[in-house]
């Protein structure tokens, strides 16, 4: 141990195979994704706050998801944008672990919020007469608050176990942000002892939420098939389509990534990072457009606000 030099800070490398002449393009794309994420989610949060018609259980879930998306993107994107824009990929030891904590925390909260949204749709379609008694404001607040609190458990566990490890295997993180795998790979200790509990935690969070979602939507499909008219079935399913799109964007790529790594499907490092960045950053950017364009109630509120703003601008003209 006498010759070991311990790490004081890390360097985020981003995509290792990316040529310097493309740094500007990549940073511009990432900055565009970040701005779209902030603006899109800000629009929905503003509509929710200003419109009493949107202050319903399902929209309580969605506005929390929007907040979580903004916080996740703000945690993950600024440093990698700085890496390519200003060629500054350094991050302090503590800063890297804080980023790792929030990356895993917001991912865990999002997973649980999506399961709460599935429960809401299950109650609305399968138990319509009891919906308002089941999904009353108090119950929804408990479920949402529980999602934020339970989300702390896994990230705190892996941080507490990983932080004290001796890090001496270089300080370059081959990723676009700090996460558990990329950090503990640099530890001069047996990683399996620390990696396996983190993997189990990820599977419990991911598959636990996914099992609730699958059960809810299987029950919904059974209920929809009992509806006599085709038009009624389509109308009922259309109320679920925004949530299904959001759920698919979040879970399917993650399941593919975990399964591929465990059945020895090999990708290049750059392709693996592209896949991770796509499933991490595209849903927070795309979700607000799904809320606003695929949900009739939100679309009507948005159009009404835009028309009111347009009329107000015209009335102020001389």
């Amino acid at each position: 141990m006498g010759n070991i030099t311990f790490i004081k800070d890390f360097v985020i490398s981003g995509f290792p195979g990316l040529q310097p002449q493309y740094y500007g393009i990549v940073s511009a794309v990432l900055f565009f994704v970040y701005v779209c994420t902030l603006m899109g989610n800000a629009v929905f949060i503003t509509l929710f706050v200003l419109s009493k018609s949107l202050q319903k259980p399902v929209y309580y879930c969605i506005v929390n998801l929007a907040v979580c998306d903004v916080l996740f993107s703000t945690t993950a994107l600024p440093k990698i944008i700085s890496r390519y824009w200003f060629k500054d990929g350094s991050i302090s030891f503590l800063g890297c672990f804080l980023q790792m904590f929030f990356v895993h925390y917001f991912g865990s909260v999002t997973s649980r919020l999506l399961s709460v949204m599935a429960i809401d749709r299950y109650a609305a379609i399968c138990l319509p007469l009891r919906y308002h008694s089941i999904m009353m404001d108090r119950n929804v607040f408990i479920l949402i608050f529980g999602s934020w609190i339970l989300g702390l458990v896994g990230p705190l566990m892996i941080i507490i176990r990983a932080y004290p490890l001796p890090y001496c295997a270089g300080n370059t993180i081959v990723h676009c942000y700090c996460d558990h795998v990329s950090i503990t790979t640099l530890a001069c200790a047996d990683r399996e002892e620390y990696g396996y509990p983190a993997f189990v935690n990820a599977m419990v969070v991911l598959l636990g939420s996914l099992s609730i979602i699958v059960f809810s939507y299987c029950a919904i499909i059974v209920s929809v098939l009992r509806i006599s008219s085709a038009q009624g079935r389509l109308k009922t399913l259309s109320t679920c389509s925004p949530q299904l799109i959001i759920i698919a964007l979040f879970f399917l790529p993650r399941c593919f990534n975990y399964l591929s790594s465990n059945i020895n499907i090999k990708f290049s490092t750059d392709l693996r990072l592209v896949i991770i960045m796509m499933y991490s950053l595209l849903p927070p950017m795309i979700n607000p457009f799904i809320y606003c364009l695929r949900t009739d109630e939100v679309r009507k509120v948005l159009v009404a606000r835009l028309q009111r703003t347009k009329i107000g601008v015209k009335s102020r003209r001389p």
Side-chain angles (χ1 to χ4, degrees), residues 236-285:
T236 304
L237 285 174
S238 68
T239 65
C240 300
S241 61
Q243 288 91 330
L244 283 172
I245 295 170
I246 294 166
I247 288 164
L249 286 171
F250 183 85
F251 283 101
L252 293 183
R254 281 171 170 78
C255 290
F256 173 75
N257 186 47
Y258 282 120
L259 287 172
S260 63
S261 62
N262 283 278
I263 59 176
N264 293 322
I265 298 177
K266 301 294 184 182
F267 299 105
S268 69
T269 302
D270 288 301
L271 179 57
R272 181 178 61 83
L273 290 179
V274 167
I275 293 171
I276 291 172
M277 292 298 282
M278 286 182 67
Y279 73 60
S280 297
L281 300 175
L282 286 184
M285 182 181 72

Side-chain angles (χ1 to χ4, degrees), residues 144-265:
I144 292 171
F145 184 70
S147 298
W148 287 94
I149 296 300
L150 288 175
L152 291 168
V153 177
L156 281 175
M157 178 193 74
I158 62 176
I159 283 282
I160 290 169
R161 287 176 59 85
Y163 190 82
L165 291 176
Y167 291 90
C168 53
N171 70 336
T172 300
I173 292 176
V174 185
H175 206 308
C176 295
Y177 50 77
C178 300
D179 74 343
H180 185 265
V181 173
S182 61
I183 292 179
T184 54
T185 300
L186 302 179
C188 45
D190 182 10
R191 189 190 173 278
E192 186 174 347
E193 181 182 346
Y194 301 92
Y196 184 71
F199 175 76
V200 170
N201 171 69
M203 288 296 97
V204 168
V205 172
L206 196 66
L207 297 181
S209 298
L210 192 57
S211 63
I212 293 172
I213 291 166
V214 169
F215 169 80
S216 298
Y217 279 98
C218 284
I220 286 170
I221 290 169
V222 171
S223 294
V224 168
L225 291 176
R226 292 174 180 166
I227 299 174
S228 57
S229 69
Q231 186 177 0
R233 288 195 292 268
L234 288 173
K235 185 177 179 180
T236 304
L237 285 174
S238 68
T239 65
C240 300
S241 61
Q243 288 91 330
L244 283 172
I245 295 170
I246 294 166
I247 288 164
L249 286 171
F250 183 85
F251 283 101
L252 293 183
R254 281 171 170 78
C255 290
F256 173 75
N257 186 47
Y258 282 120
L259 287 172
S260 63
S261 62
N262 283 278
I263 59 176
N264 293 322
I265 298 177

Side-chain angles (χ1 to χ4, degrees), residues 16-267:
L18 186 67
Q19 298 300 313
Q21 60 265 33
Y22 299 113
Y23 284 6
I25 296 173
V26 170
S27 62
V29 170
L30 292 173
F31 182 72
F32 174 77
V33 169
Y34 185 46
V35 170
C36 286
T37 300
L38 294 181
M39 292 180 64
N41 285 288
V43 167
F44 179 80
I45 293 169
T46 303
L47 290 176
F48 174 82
V49 171
L50 297 178
S51 305
K52 289 186 178 180
S53 63
L54 296 183
Q55 293 176 13
K56 299 176 180 178
V58 65
Y59 297 117
Y60 295 148
C61 298
I62 293 176
V63 78
N64 275 268
L65 187 62
V67 170
C68 200
D69 284 345
V70 167
L71 293 175
F72 177 87
S73 298
T74 301
T75 298
L77 276 175
K79 176 47 67 175
I80 189 62
I81 293 172
S82 173
R83 159 72 180 91
Y84 287 122
W85 214 324
F86 305 111
K87 298 181 176 59
D88 177 21
S90 64
I91 183 170
S92 69
F93 189 89
L94 178 60
C96 195
F97 274 87
L98 284 173
Q99 188 183 52
M100 178 180 83
F101 169 78
F102 285 115
V103 161
H104 291 294
Y105 174 56
F106 294 131
S108 177
V109 172
T110 298
S111 179
R112 289 180 168 91
L113 286 174
L114 291 175
S115 66
V116 174
M117 290 168 62
I119 292 170
D120 174 84
R121 289 299 84 202
Y122 166 78
I125 294 172
C126 300
L127 305 167
L129 298 179
R130 296 173 56 195
Y131 174 76
H132 293 291
S133 61
I134 295 172
M135 300 304 291
M136 65 177 63
D137 288 354
R138 185 191 65 181
N139 293 343
V140 174
F141 290 150
I142 290 171
L143 289 172
I144 292 171
F145 184 70
S147 298
W148 287 94
I149 296 300
L150 288 175
L152 291 168
V153 177
L156 281 175
M157 178 193 74
I158 62 176
I159 283 282
I160 290 169
R161 287 176 59 85
Y163 190 82
L165 291 176
Y167 291 90
C168 53
N171 70 336
T172 300
I173 292 176
V174 185
H175 206 308
C176 295
Y177 50 77
C178 300
D179 74 343
H180 185 265
V181 173
S182 61
I183 292 179
T184 54
T185 300
L186 302 179
C188 45
D190 182 10
R191 189 190 173 278
E192 186 174 347
E193 181 182 346
Y194 301 92
Y196 184 71
F199 175 76
V200 170
N201 171 69
M203 288 296 97
V204 168
V205 172
L206 196 66
L207 297 181
S209 298
L210 192 57
S211 63
I212 293 172
I213 291 166
V214 169
F215 169 80
S216 298
Y217 279 98
C218 284
I220 286 170
I221 290 169
V222 171
S223 294
V224 168
L225 291 176
R226 292 174 180 166
I227 299 174
S228 57
S229 69
Q231 186 177 0
R233 288 195 292 268
L234 288 173
K235 185 177 179 180
T236 304
L237 285 174
S238 68
T239 65
C240 300
S241 61
Q243 288 91 330
L244 283 172
I245 295 170
I246 294 166
I247 288 164
L249 286 171
F250 183 85
F251 283 101
L252 293 183
R254 281 171 170 78
C255 290
F256 173 75
N257 186 47
Y258 282 120
L259 287 172
S260 63
S261 62
N262 283 278
I263 59 176
N264 293 322
I265 298 177
K266 301 294 184 182
F267 299 105

